């Protein structure tokens, strides 16, 4: 089946193929694709930007992340470098007409206590991203992260997003035990959703399981997303998981 306009798929399920090849396969199932902007699919590639424009698809872009990108670093030089890296990707995403751009905040390994210095750094990054949003006209959304003590953004209100939107990662919220709180009162404008499943707080590996194989209430999430006018990405890591989630949504009358 072809998914409805508000539900899309990530390019990362075909991360070993060119972005053009991924588009060809994804277009058979959806008109909305999230480009994971790293590896073969980076939007910094002029060829990938040309292919994106030629695809005819509606696009969102997930910015790069990892321990080498630290938007919450207390070291101002490191923090500024993270913002600069996102700036390049945001400008490229704006060039291809993306609907929005997803940013990860910090990720703490091993988990630790809340640090007001890091919170302050993240708030400065949010202000910088808001300025970039105004300059490019591209909506920027911040994604909640998994695990108690694993990030300074795991629950509603942990950070003040200001002009930025919220990208609610339902799997991350399930692991943090905060999904119901996000659905009830996100404390920010809900603009985008990553929908996948897991076993909740005991599933520390963030397994990105198919819907129906864990604790995430897909019907409740979709109702909330649709009420907010948010886009939804079935954020799985491979094609079999996507097919299983699509079958689940179809069987439960959610598409």
């Amino acid at each position: 089946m072809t998914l409805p306009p508000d539900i899309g798929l990530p390019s990362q399920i075909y991360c070993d193929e060119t972005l053009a090849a991924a588009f060809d396969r994804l277009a058979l199932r959806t008109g909305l694709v999230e480009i994971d902007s790293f590896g073969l699919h980076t939007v910094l590639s002029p060829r990938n930007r040309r292919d994106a424009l030629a695809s005819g698809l509606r696009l969102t872009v997930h910015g790069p992340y990892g321990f080498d990108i630290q938007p919450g670093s207390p070291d101002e030089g490191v923090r500024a470098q993270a913002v600069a890296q996102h700036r390049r990707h945001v400008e490229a995403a704006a060039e291809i007409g993306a609907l929005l751009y997803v940013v990860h905040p910090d990720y703490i390994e091993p988990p630790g206590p809340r640090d007001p210095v890091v919170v302050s750094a993240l708030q400065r990054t949010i202000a910088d991203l808001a300025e970039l949003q105004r300059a490019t006209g591209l909506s920027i959304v911040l994604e909640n992260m998994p695990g108690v003590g694993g990030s300074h953004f795991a629950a509603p209100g942990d950070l003040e997003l200001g002009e930025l939107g919220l990208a609610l990662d339902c799997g991350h919220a399930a692991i943090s035990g905060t999904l119901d709180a996000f659905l009830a009162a996100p404390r920010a404008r809900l603009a985008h959703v990553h929908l996948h499943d897991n076993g909740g707080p005991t599933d520390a590996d963030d397994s990105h399981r198919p819907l129906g194989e864990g604790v995430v209430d897909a019907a409740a999430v979709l109702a909330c997303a649709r009420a907010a006018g948010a886009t939804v990405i079935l954020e799985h890591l491979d094609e079999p998981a996507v097919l299983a989630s699509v079958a689940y949504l179809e069987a439960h009358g959610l598409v």
Side-chain angles (χ1 to χ4, degrees):
M1 68 167 294
T2 300
L3 290 164
D6 60 333
I7 302 180
L9 300 175
S11 73
Q12 68 182 2
I13 64 174
Y14 302 122
C15 62
D16 293 330
E17 302 184 22
T18 66
L19 188 57
F23 284 150
D24 287 343
R25 299 183 70 174
L26 291 163
L28 299 175
R29 298 192 175 276
T30 184
L32 172 65
V33 170
E34 181 148 295
I35 301 173
D36 293 279
S37 189
F38 21 86
L40 292 176
H41 296 178
T42 176
V43 294
L44 298 185
S45 159
R47 177 177 179 178
N48 283 347
R49 294 200 298 277
R50 290 195 297 271
D51 290 338
L53 287 166
S55 72
L57 295 163
R58 296 162 61 236
L59 302 168
T60 62
V61 174
H62 196 311
Y65 56 87
F67 289 109
D68 58 331
I69 303 174
Q70 299 185 43
S73 175
D75 182 320
E76 182 61 18
V78 172
R79 189 197 71 81
Q81 186 177 43
V83 172
Q85 186 160 354
H86 280 303
R87 180 177 293 109
R88 295 171 64 211
H89 287 260
V90 167
E91 290 171 347
E95 183 181 321
I96 63 174
L99 302 175
L100 55 81
Y101 179 87
V102 181
V103 175
H104 276 194
D106 65 328
Y107 187 74
I108 305 167
E109 184 63 44
R114 190 168 176 85
D115 184 342
V117 176
V118 174
V119 171
S120 178
L122 285 167
Q123 293 293 167
R124 292 197 300 277
T125 292
I126 288 169
D128 289 341
L129 292 173
E131 183 177 345
L132 182 57
Q133 178 175 257
R134 291 191 294 272
T136 61
L138 176 61
S139 178
I140 299 175
V141 295
L142 197 71
E143 179 178 340
N144 60 295
M145 300 304 289
V148 175
S151 171
H152 286 77
F153 187 43
D158 276 352
L159 296 173
E160 295 298 328
L161 302 195
E163 297 173 40
L164 303 189
L166 167 65
L168 172 59
D169 189 299
C170 296
H172 292 175
I175 291 171
S176 302
T178 57
L179 180 54
D180 288 346
F182 270 117
L183 295 179
R187 299 277 296 274
R189 178 178 56 86
L190 178 60
H192 193 54
V193 172
H194 287 161
L195 182 55
H196 52 100
D197 214 338
N198 59 50
T202 62
D203 197 352
D205 289 337
D206 190 18
S207 53
H208 289 251
R209 292 187 211 166
L211 300 177
E213 293 190 5
V215 302
V216 172
D217 184 343
V221 170
L222 286 173
C224 186
R226 286 167 171 162
T231 43
V232 177
I233 299 295
L234 297 179
E235 197 189 42
H236 295 300
L237 308 180
D238 55 41
E239 186 180 74
V242 164
L243 297 179
S245 281
V246 171
Y248 176 91
L249 294 175
E250 190 171 18
H252 288 79
L254 298 173
V255 291

